[in-house]
Each structure stands twice: as C-alpha cells, then as structure tokens.
Amino acid sequence: MILITGATGNIGRHLLDELVRTEAEVRALVRDPYRLDGYRDRVHVVQGDLDDPATLDPAMEGISTLFVLAAGPDVPAQDAALIEAAQRAGVKQVVMVSSLGAELGGIGGGRPHQPGERLLRESGLGWTLLHPSEFMTNTLWWRDTILAAGSIFVPTGTGRVGFVDPSDIAAVAARVLTTDGHDGVTYRITGPEALSTADVAAHLSAVIGRPVQHVDVPEEAFRAGMEQAGFPPPLVALQVEYCAAVKAGTVDIMTDDVPALLGRPARDYLAWAEEHAVAFAPAPAE
C-alpha cells in the first residue's frame, strides 16, 4: 500500500487521480478528511497531522511505499517526523518531493528541504528524490498586478525558468511510486521550455486578450513591496534570493526526465495558461 501526504495540494490532488487510474492501493493522510470526500470510495482516507508525530504511526501501518510532501511551514521537522515514522513502520521506499533549488545551494524553496534530503539518504530506507523547477501555478501570484496594472513587477531580468505544471510532477510521482528501478535516483522535473518573465507575460497576453508586460523592478523596490504587503521576512528573503538567481541564469535548467518517464512531452506554459485563463480575468461587474 502507498501512503500519500500532501494529498489536498497542487500536486496531491493530481497524484490521487493518477494513482486511482492505475488501481493502486492508496491511503491518504490529511488533517481534514472531509476535504477528500469525493475519493472515499477509491482511496483509504486517514486523519493525521505532520506537525503531530503521534498521529503518523497509525497511518503507516501496512505501508510499503511513502510519498513525502511537506507543506510547512516547518518543512525540516515535518520531513524528519515522516522519515522517522517510516523507519519505525518498516517502509521499503520513500519518494520525496523537494526542489531543484536544493541542489543549487538551497536557493528559494530548496533550502528548507535540504535537511530532510540528508536525513532520508542516511536513513537506510530506499529513496527517490523529485526536484521540480518552479511551478506554473506560482505565476498566479502575479494576478493582482496583472489585473490592476497589466504588469508583472519582479526583478528577474531576462533570466529564464523551466516552469513545470504540477500535474506533470504528479504524473512522474505516480510512475515512480508504482514501478521499479528508481531507488537512489534524483529526478529533475522541468517543463519543455525555459521562459523569461517577459515570455510568460506574452503568453498571458495572448490568452486573456489584453497586454501584459514584465517590469524588471529594482531588487530593493521588490523587497519593499513584499514587506508592505505583509509577507513574513523569511519569505521575502527567499523570494529576493530566488529572483536574483533567475536573473543570473542559475535556474535556467532543462531536462528530459518528464518525457523519459512518461513517454510524452511535458505540458507547456501556454496550455496551462489557456486552462487557467479565468484566474487572470477581472471579476464580473455586479
């Protein structure tokens, strides 16, 4: 049986759908089981909390494979609690979603995952790491300024990112969870093309039918804007660092891991934007 954590998130919902199609035996660990009411006839839903290690041992009973997706905020502690529970339960294989930033000096969202990666490698458990690039869904963070000013204000210059659809991360995870030959492997999951923020803006312009531009604001102005918007200081620091890495070309990384594992191309940003165009549209007037 496979235990899925993070089952209600960007990746988890897609992963449950993928695994249900394969008729795999699946258990989903969630804080609020009612959020998965629609899966109860196909998935064994159990209540638990990654921040309460005492709830994890019952969920691990009879589990052979564990999917780790720690949403935080204390990612290292959540990763550690899951790995330690897996050791106690005799789990055979752990598949962990981390970040491409974890192998690039810990930039952006990669740093919180580094302790869990080290712990997993040293745990004696079978392991596979998934290192996705930036999610396409992260561009929804720009919705408000797109609607208000037709602009994306981030200090990324002409740097490019291999934006990936979370549904492709889920499809890769499902393949790894249900087939052999992945022990000790790290998969770097990217989309099919590296895009600058201006490229993203051009795709959104085409989809929503009005101009969207990228404004490469100074780093200090970006930092001040996030602080004024009330973002916590650690998140501000991570975002500033990540944008600088994008501008420097550090995250301009492309791989063929998605097509190699799935036998099809990764989804491109334009297809994702067309599917989510309504999210960038103004609310209808009352």
Side-chain angles (χ1 to χ4, degrees):
M1 180 180 284
I2 302 168
L3 177 64
I4 303 299
T5 62
T8 59
N10 271 340
I11 297 171
R13 291 267 185 180
H14 291 296
L15 177 56
L16 287 183
D17 290 337
E18 292 280 349
L19 292 174
V20 165
R21 281 193 286 271
T22 68
E23 300 184 351
E25 192 175 6
V26 178
R27 183 181 296 162
L29 174 71
V30 291
R31 287 193 181 99
D32 181 3
Y34 292 104
R35 294 184 65 186
L36 291 181
D37 268 355
Y39 290 88
R40 285 185 179 274
D41 60 337
R42 298 165 293 168
V43 173
H44 180 209
V45 180
V46 296
Q47 187 171 21
D49 188 337
L50 303 190
D51 295 320
D52 182 1
T55 67
L56 302 182
D57 286 344
M60 294 278 182
E61 292 181 6
I63 293 300
S64 60
T65 306
L66 170 64
F67 176 74
V68 172
L69 201 170
D74 193 345
V75 171
Q78 292 177 343
D79 282 342
L82 284 165
I83 292 166
E84 290 162 7
Q87 289 174 308
R88 291 192 295 270
V91 169
K92 302 300 183 186
Q93 188 75 17
V94 176
V95 177
M96 175 184 283
V97 176
S98 176
S99 167
L100 192 57
E103 63 185 75
L104 299 174
I107 60 171
R111 187 169 297 116
H113 291 284
Q114 288 180 316
E117 286 196 12
R118 287 193 295 268
L119 186 60
L120 181 58
R121 289 191 180 99
E122 297 167 359
S123 67
L125 300 167
W127 60 267
T128 306
L129 293 172
L130 306 184
H131 279 183
S133 186
E134 184 172 0
F135 296 4
M136 292 177 183
T137 47
N138 288 359
T139 63
L140 291 168
W141 297 346
W142 302 333
R143 177 182 184 274
D144 289 347
T145 61
I146 289 171
L147 291 176
S151 298
I152 302 167
F153 299 99
V154 290
T156 51
T158 59
R160 303 188 303 170
V161 178
F163 289 96
V164 62
D165 190 326
S167 68
D168 277 344
I169 304 170
V172 167
R175 180 61 57 88
V176 172
L177 288 163
T178 57
T179 60
D180 296 327
H182 310 288
D183 189 26
V185 178
T186 298
Y187 292 111
R188 305 162 95 202
I189 308 172
T190 73
E193 56 186 342
L195 301 174
S196 67
T197 309
D199 294 330
V200 170
H203 283 316
L204 291 173
S205 297
V207 167
I208 66 179
R210 55 193 180 85
V212 179
Q213 64 174 340
H214 170 219
V215 180
D216 185 31
V217 294
E219 183 178 291
E220 286 309 310
F222 177 71
R223 183 192 300 274
M226 289 195 71
E227 290 171 347
Q228 290 168 9
F231 288 97
L235 179 58
V236 173
L238 283 174
Q239 286 299 307
V240 170
E241 178 187 52
Y242 178 72
C243 287
V246 172
K247 179 175 279 192
T250 305
V251 299
D252 187 357
I253 294 171
M254 300 298 302
T255 78
D256 293 325
D257 285 359
V258 171
L261 285 163
L262 303 182
R264 63 161 176 82
R267 293 192 73 204
D268 61 36
Y269 185 80
L270 182 59
W272 179 90
E274 289 171 343
E275 184 178 326
H276 294 83
V278 66
F280 295 95
E286 296 185 357

